[in-house]
Amino acid sequence: PTGEMYRGLAVSPGIVVARAYCLESVSPSFEDGALDPADVQRELQRFNQACDRAASELTGLIERVSHEIGEVESRIFQSHLYMLRDRAFISKVHSLIAEHRIPAGESLVRAVEEYEELFASIKDEYLRERIVDLRDVAQRIAGHLSEARNLDHLDLGEPVVLVAREMYPSQTLRFGGLKIAAIVTERG
């Protein structure tokens, strides 16, 4: 313990005392470096397959949330599906892979960074905050590219305060059976 105290903005009333569980960065790391020309087609296919798996996952999630929670609540994941199928975004990643020979994972990260810059200049706060949804979608694709699923195997034996830089809507659905006393995020 460093003895430092942090103050935050509470969105729910009450006080919780529990062990902190820190989630690592939600973005898997990827290899950098140029692809061999012979590997470009394989990398495009790998990215497309990751998108297909992510779309299938989202379709199931939309159905589950619609039945278990409500139609209105499932709309956020419907918007994620639209983002996943957005031609401009997918074309941007394809271009980075094919023309710049950047591996799929790094291309995805770079495309999201470009969108973050665009979103930052939007005056409407609601629209500007939709970058969180794009990050969520990208994290879902990235998980299929790297086969890393940070929260899928989380097994907590006691109630904890979950600490993360940012929490995405789809991540919170995975908390159903977990003993979470509180969630603390840096942003979002």
Side-chain angles (χ1 to χ4, degrees):
T2 62
E4 292 182 51
M5 176 158 311
Y6 296 95
R7 291 191 185 276
L9 177 64
V11 294
S12 299
I15 296 174
V16 171
V17 177
R19 183 182 306 271
Y21 184 92
C22 297
L23 287 179
E24 296 299 318
S25 171
V26 294
S27 299
S29 59
F30 295 101
E31 290 182 22
D32 204 353
L35 292 167
D36 289 329
D39 294 332
V40 167
Q41 196 58 42
R42 179 189 55 79
E43 200 68 1
L44 284 167
Q45 187 173 23
R46 203 167 75 82
F47 175 73
N48 291 338
Q49 288 172 344
C51 287
D52 289 345
R53 287 193 295 268
S56 176
E57 209 173 59
L58 278 169
T59 301
L61 192 57
I62 291 164
E63 189 175 313
R64 189 181 117 214
V65 170
S66 182
H67 284 87
E68 293 177 12
I69 302 172
E71 181 73 31
V72 173
E73 290 79 3
S74 73
R75 288 183 191 154
I76 189 166
F77 301 109
Q78 185 66 50
S79 74
H80 287 192
L81 193 55
Y82 292 141
M83 286 180 182
L84 179 62
R85 293 181 173 153
D86 181 74
R87 287 184 184 175
F89 179 70
I90 298 301
S91 293
K92 180 67 184 166
V93 178
H94 281 177
S95 170
L96 289 165
I97 295 169
E99 295 170 26
H100 300 279
R101 296 190 0 236
I102 298 170
E106 183 60 29
S107 292
L108 178 63
V109 169
R110 290 187 187 192
V112 170
E113 286 172 352
E114 284 188 31
Y115 273 78
E116 284 175 340
E117 289 178 22
L118 289 172
F119 275 62
S121 66
I122 296 174
K123 289 185 175 27
D124 183 297
E125 186 177 347
Y126 174 80
L127 292 175
R128 190 172 57 244
E129 289 179 358
R130 297 296 48 90
I131 192 64
V132 172
D133 295 314
L134 182 60
R135 284 190 203 119
D136 195 344
V137 170
Q139 187 253 346
R140 185 177 295 280
I141 297 167
H144 288 292
L145 284 171
S146 71
E147 300 304 325
R149 310 303 281 172
N150 291 342
L151 297 174
D152 285 349
H153 305 294
L154 188 59
D155 184 20
L156 307 171
E158 61 182 328
V160 296
V161 174
L162 199 57
V163 180
R165 181 175 189 82
E166 184 172 39
M167 194 68 55
Y168 301 128
S170 63
Q171 289 176 308
T172 60
L173 287 177
R174 297 181 190 158
F175 299 157
L178 300 176
K179 300 172 183 171
I180 298 174
I183 297 175
V184 176
T185 58
E186 182 178 326
R187 63 184 186 193

